[in-house]
Amino acid sequence: MIKFLDLQKINLQYQEEIEASLLRVFRSGWYLQGEEVRQFEKNFSNYIGTPHAIGVANGMDALRLILRAYMELGFMQEGDEIIVPSNTYIASLLAITDNRLVPVLVEPSLANYNMNLSLVEEKITAKTKAIMLVHLYGQVSFSTEIVSFAKKYQLQIIEDNAQAIGAMYDGIKTGNLGDVAGYSFYPGKNLGALGDGGAITCKDDALAMKIRSLANYGSSQKYVHVCKGWNSRLDEIQAAILDVKLKYIEIENAKRRIIAKRYCTEIKNDKLILPTFPLQEKEHVWHLFVVRTANRLDLQSYLLANGIQTLIHYPIPIHHQEAYAELKTLQLPICEKIHDEVLSIPISSVLEDTEIEQIIHCLNAY
């Protein structure tokens, strides 16, 4: 069986360094808010290119904290609107509604499944305070027009960079394109922890200070609490592991690009719609390789019968989820079409050539 994602094999590549890091943390006797987190934050901010990186508990907390910090700083208030793609994981919206802000969903483009940026300006109202760009599947969602809209209407650009660490636009990494960005280090991500973890990068000193305070019970000085915060911290063990794996993220992403290029050029089947390999290779880090077909479940069953595991990202659009029943009347036909037809096939740095060839052969024979 070709696993959709062999996490054990991915992490065993770095076994010696990870084990040394775990032992170092164990022997240090310091397990929260210590040197490992500080070192990872420094290295991560240098990698992304921002002055600030803040380790937090997970990717959803990263987005929640960003929005709460803007509210605490007076840039937003309850009832304000955040523009967000309709084709995204539910965490993007949960972070918005958890802060009693209002998500305004925008249809995706069938060309890349990211938010259709040409539809953004028509969604802006007097209550709009930010545009949340989700770099879905590892592909950049950004344009200079978005920056123009943000300046024109005094909006913040928030990047949900959970799936696109290392992707670039015009030589600038995602996470450094907008005002602030949230990251997930869920184990299956291109830069994955051995558990949960997340981070925030930003350029603004006041915003970074407020986020750090909110993530630590609303405190920047022990036992002094200036706001009602949360407990959302990246622990020393995960920070140490991530710091090891950060050294290899460019190699990991390069291997994914090589596989994606083979898929894009060697899979030739009229029943399948493939993603487009970008002219600028570094615009995509291929967290997922997603194909579309009219009969997805048939394709998935066929591949499984041929020893290939796949996943669906995502089977039910957010506006059809029970949790967001208030959005069920929205008409989002392109989003719904994508959710009905997409299937993610294996792509990772540890796929063997024989496995890649088997996947290509099976898809061509379908």
Side-chain angles (χ1 to χ4, degrees):
M1 175 67 70
I2 300 174
K3 293 182 179 180
F4 176 74
L5 186 64
D6 193 335
L7 289 177
Q8 184 182 47
K9 193 173 182 181
I10 288 170
N11 289 311
L12 283 174
Q13 297 175 103
Y14 315 116
Q15 179 177 351
E16 187 175 330
E17 288 182 79
I18 287 174
E19 287 180 349
S21 295
L22 292 171
L23 186 60
R24 183 176 66 246
V25 175
F26 172 70
R27 288 176 171 172
S28 74
W30 195 288
Y31 308 119
L32 285 171
Q33 295 181 302
E35 186 56 36
E36 300 291 344
V37 170
R38 283 191 288 272
Q39 188 62 45
F40 172 68
E41 288 178 341
K42 178 183 177 182
N43 291 337
F44 193 62
S45 67
N46 287 339
Y47 175 73
I48 298 297
T50 56
H52 300 286
I54 302 144
V56 297
N58 54 68
M60 184 175 152
D61 271 9
L63 297 176
R64 291 167 72 211
L65 284 160
I66 288 167
L67 293 167
R68 182 61 61 86
Y70 276 130
M71 295 174 79
E72 291 286 335
L73 291 169
F75 291 117
M76 299 176 189
Q77 60 184 359
E78 289 185 13
D80 282 341
E81 297 172 353
I82 310 297
I83 292 174
V84 64
S86 58
N87 184 37
T88 184
Y89 185 56
I90 197 170
S92 305
L93 264 74
L94 288 171
I96 295 169
T97 56
D98 187 63
N99 281 295
R100 297 186 180 179
L101 297 165
V102 178
V104 176
L105 277 62
V106 177
E107 280 271 64
S109 165
L110 276 176
N112 59 21
Y113 310 142
N114 273 324
M115 182 161 61
N116 188 335
L117 301 181
S118 68
L119 302 178
V120 169
E121 189 169 22
E122 68 187 49
K123 298 288 186 178
I124 297 171
T125 73
K127 283 186 165 291
T128 307
K129 299 300 178 184
I131 302 167
M132 184 180 288
L133 298 174
V134 180
H135 305 301
L136 197 68
Y137 307 153
Q139 186 170 14
V140 178
S141 174
F142 186 77
S143 71
T144 52
E145 287 77 16
I146 289 296
V147 177
S148 299
F149 296 156
K151 289 179 179 177
K152 180 178 178 180
Y153 299 104
Q154 297 183 309
L155 308 178
Q156 304 301 314
I157 299 175
I158 300 169
E159 296 176 74
D160 181 340
N161 202 27
Q163 299 186 9
I165 292 173
M168 301 182 79
Y169 179 90
D170 198 22
I172 300 172
K173 285 191 174 71
T174 53
N176 192 19
L177 294 169
D179 296 291
V180 61
Y183 303 77
S184 167
F185 301 129
Y186 180 79
K189 295 295 192 287
N190 291 30
L191 179 61
L194 300 190
D196 261 326
I200 296 163
T201 57
C202 69
K203 305 166 187 174
D204 184 80
D205 295 345
L207 181 63
M209 187 179 299
K210 183 58 68 176
I211 289 168
R212 283 196 183 279
S213 172
L214 282 166
N216 186 38
Y217 303 102
S219 171
S220 55
Q221 179 183 347
K222 195 168 185 177
Y223 301 134
V224 178
H225 305 269
V226 297
C227 57
K228 297 172 183 175
W230 302 321
N231 172 17
S232 183
R233 298 178 293 208
L234 181 67
D235 69 62
E236 290 286 280
I237 289 174
Q238 299 303 338
I241 292 165
L242 289 165
D243 208 37
V244 169
K245 295 181 73 176
L246 180 62
K247 294 186 294 184
Y248 302 101
I249 187 62
E250 288 296 311
I251 295 171
E252 290 274 335
N253 287 343
K255 288 179 179 178
R256 288 173 177 268
R257 290 187 183 106
I258 289 169
I259 297 168
K261 196 165 191 175
R262 287 199 63 185
Y263 285 165
C264 288
T265 55
E266 296 179 38
I267 297 171
K268 300 181 186 298
N269 187 326
D270 292 341
K271 295 184 179 70
L272 307 177
I273 299 171
L274 303 180
T276 301
F277 197 86
L279 293 175
Q280 299 297 320
E281 291 193 2
K282 291 194 174 181
E283 287 185 6
H284 205 323
V285 294
W286 301 97
H287 171 60
L288 298 173
F289 191 97
V290 178
V291 302
R292 262 177 53 226
T293 185
N295 197 344
R296 173 177 63 200
L297 294 181
D298 182 65
L299 174 61
Q300 188 172 42
S301 297
Y302 161 81
L303 290 172
L304 187 60
N306 282 275
I308 301 168
Q309 189 181 56
T310 60
L311 290 177
I312 299 170
H313 297 89
Y314 304 97
I316 306 172
I318 295 170
H319 66 291
H320 286 176
Q321 298 280 0
E322 186 177 350
Y324 282 102
E326 68 271 22
L327 302 177
K328 66 182 179 181
T329 59
L330 291 178
Q331 300 298 308
L332 299 166
I334 296 174
C335 176
E336 290 164 18
K337 181 177 178 64
I338 291 169
H339 281 256
D340 286 342
E341 296 181 350
V342 291
L343 185 68
S344 301
I345 65 174
I347 185 167
S348 79
S349 62
V350 295
L351 276 180
E352 304 288 345
D353 284 343
T354 54
E355 294 175 320
I356 297 166
E357 287 161 10
Q358 182 181 342
I359 292 165
I360 293 169
H361 170 76
C362 285
L363 286 168
N364 281 334
Y366 173 66

